[in-house]
Amino acid sequence: MAKTAVVTGGSHNIGQGIAIVLAEHGYDVAITYNKRREGAEETKAEIEKLGRRCFIYQASLEKAEVPQQVMDRAHRDLGRIDLCVCNAGNGGFRGSVLSVTPEEVNQVFEVNFRNYILCAGAAARYMVADRIAGNIIFITSSRWEMAYPDDYLYGGFKACVERAARSMALDLSSYNIRVNCVAPGATWNPPKGMEERVNSPFVKESIPLHRVGTPRENGEAVAYLASDAASYITGITIRVDGGLILPGMLEGSEKIPWVREEWKQKMYDRAMAMMKREE
Ligand SMILES: NC(=O)c1ccc[n+]([C@@H]2O[C@H](COP(=O)([O-])OP(=O)(O)OC[C@H]3O[C@@H](n4cnc5c(N)ncnc54)[C@H](OP(=O)(O)O)[C@@H]3O)[C@@H](O)[C@H]2O)c1
């Protein structure tokens, strides 16, 4: 019998990549979309080409009752839930805490935290009832560890998910349900004609592996964590970020081998020019 997975936000980018990679690994899949039905149809077509089943559901996951409804439908259509990948999130909000509103906090909380917890709970209840040694995987972000001045809500709630995952790993261990996270860095599948943006000098120089990540690379990390090869792994995070968060401040950057000479010179010249302006 094929294994089964639910992937939230499977109509675009990372979620689409995860759903397709899981199908390649033999899963039948149910995906959700919010607004991009055509993206969900594209994912479904790719999965069906692989000879696997794919169900698609519209789901506005910021609504508290929707996660349970998604898992109910997925369980009915797939027959069981072996893997739940909580991916649908929204990194759009950026701002200063000096101007925060209650509405902004709620908006980020509902999609990036409450939705994840409620999806995981609903999927885990089915796994327990069906006696399935299943997996829950949260897609978080390298931003849960590395702070930027304007991402205290998005990064903060991603950190909440990471911490919650570790408690859930303990909570569900006696049912043999494993709970892990995948933390992407900058990840983008560029549409044709936009490859140049992805290959900009800024991206090439500031990410140690000199490129953005791909949705597929996150999919492979998910497939591994959910596989029997990872049967003794629970409560961890795999970063899929090309080393993005490792360097921190480029202190003594002249000694950092992946930063090229021209780039260092450019940064130095820019800093000098700024200092001159300030004098
Ligand atoms: N891309 C990155 O560089 C990056 C880096 C770190 C972490 N992440 C995390 O990885 C996950 C996926 O990111 P992505 O870049 O692939 O995002 P994306 O391209 O914006 O796609 C987001 C997916 O989630 C769905 N979605 C968004 N808001 C929703 C809502 N309120 N209710 C239900 N579904 C909703 C979207 O549905 P529709 O398309 O149908 O509207 C889409 O399928 C997110 O959790 C994000 O925080 C991304």
Side-chain angles (χ1 to χ4, degrees):
M1 191 200 274
K3 285 204 165 194
T4 62
V6 183
V7 181
T8 65
S11 53
H12 199 238
N13 208 23
I14 295 178
Q16 185 172 57
I18 292 170
I20 293 169
V21 169
L22 288 175
E24 287 171 2
H25 283 259
Y27 283 81
D28 286 340
V29 186
I31 62 167
T32 69
Y33 68 95
N34 188 24
K35 298 194 175 125
R36 271 180 280 226
R37 169 127 200 144
E38 69 292 352
E41 296 283 2
E42 195 181 286
T43 313
K44 180 176 162 71
E46 287 296 313
I47 288 175
E48 287 177 348
K49 263 193 244 163
L50 295 162
R52 303 259 54 105
R53 294 186 299 155
C54 180
F55 300 91
I56 60 181
Y57 317 130
Q58 194 288 324
S60 301
L61 288 161
E62 74 280 3
K63 296 184 184 152
E65 68 281 12
V66 172
Q68 182 69 53
Q69 292 167 359
V70 166
M71 297 306 151
D72 291 346
R73 282 187 76 181
H75 187 263
R76 196 181 59 225
D77 290 340
L78 294 166
R80 53 190 271 156
I81 298 174
D82 293 300
L83 165 63
C84 169
V85 184
C86 300
N87 161 78
N90 183 346
F93 176 83
R94 297 279 186 277
S96 167
V97 72
L98 295 173
S99 55
V100 67
T101 66
E103 293 73 29
E104 284 167 351
V105 178
N106 281 343
Q107 219 181 350
V108 185
F109 162 74
E110 285 162 7
V111 184
N112 292 296
F113 187 71
R114 188 178 67 188
N115 147 40
Y116 272 44
I117 303 302
L118 294 177
C119 281
R125 281 191 289 278
Y126 276 119
M127 291 172 192
V128 170
D130 295 342
R131 296 178 185 276
I132 285 172
N135 280 275
I136 291 164
I137 297 181
F138 295 115
I139 307 305
T140 60
S141 168
S142 52
R143 284 170 182 262
W144 88 269
E145 288 185 85
M146 182 148 150
Y148 298 79
D150 57 355
D151 76 340
Y152 62 98
L153 282 180
Y154 174 75
F157 283 121
K158 289 293 188 188
C160 290
V161 172
E162 287 276 345
R163 174 61 183 73
R166 284 147 175 77
S167 286
M168 283 185 214
L170 293 174
D171 186 13
L172 299 175
S173 61
S174 54
Y175 300 99
N176 257 325
I177 296 170
R178 298 187 290 112
V179 184
N180 291 294
C181 300
V182 169
T187 309
W188 199 28
N189 230 356
K192 277 207 173 59
M194 292 183 80
E195 294 86 351
E196 211 168 282
R197 231 180 102 189
V198 169
N199 290 317
S200 74
F202 175 74
V203 165
K204 280 191 167 169
E205 300 304 335
S206 51
I207 298 175
L209 290 183
H210 294 301
R211 63 173 177 84
V212 296
T214 66
R216 289 192 63 84
E217 286 167 321
N218 286 278
E220 292 295 351
V222 167
Y224 166 69
L225 283 172
S227 73
D228 290 345
S231 55
Y232 203 50
I233 296 179
T234 194
I236 72 149
T237 299
I238 295 185
R239 275 195 221 124
V240 184
D241 74 342
L244 182 142
I245 75 151
L246 296 176
M249 181 182 171
L250 287 183
E251 198 176 4
S253 68
E254 66 281 357
K255 295 194 201 82
I256 297 177
W258 78 83
V259 179
R260 282 191 279 251
E261 286 309 316
E262 321 85 86
W263 180 258
K264 274 186 278 183
Q265 189 61 48
K266 218 192 256 173
M267 292 296 104
Y268 178 78
D269 292 346
R270 191 184 292 172
M272 287 297 124
M274 277 169 71
M275 276 168 69
K276 276 202 186 112
R277 267 207 306 274
E278 280 163 15
E279 275 168 12

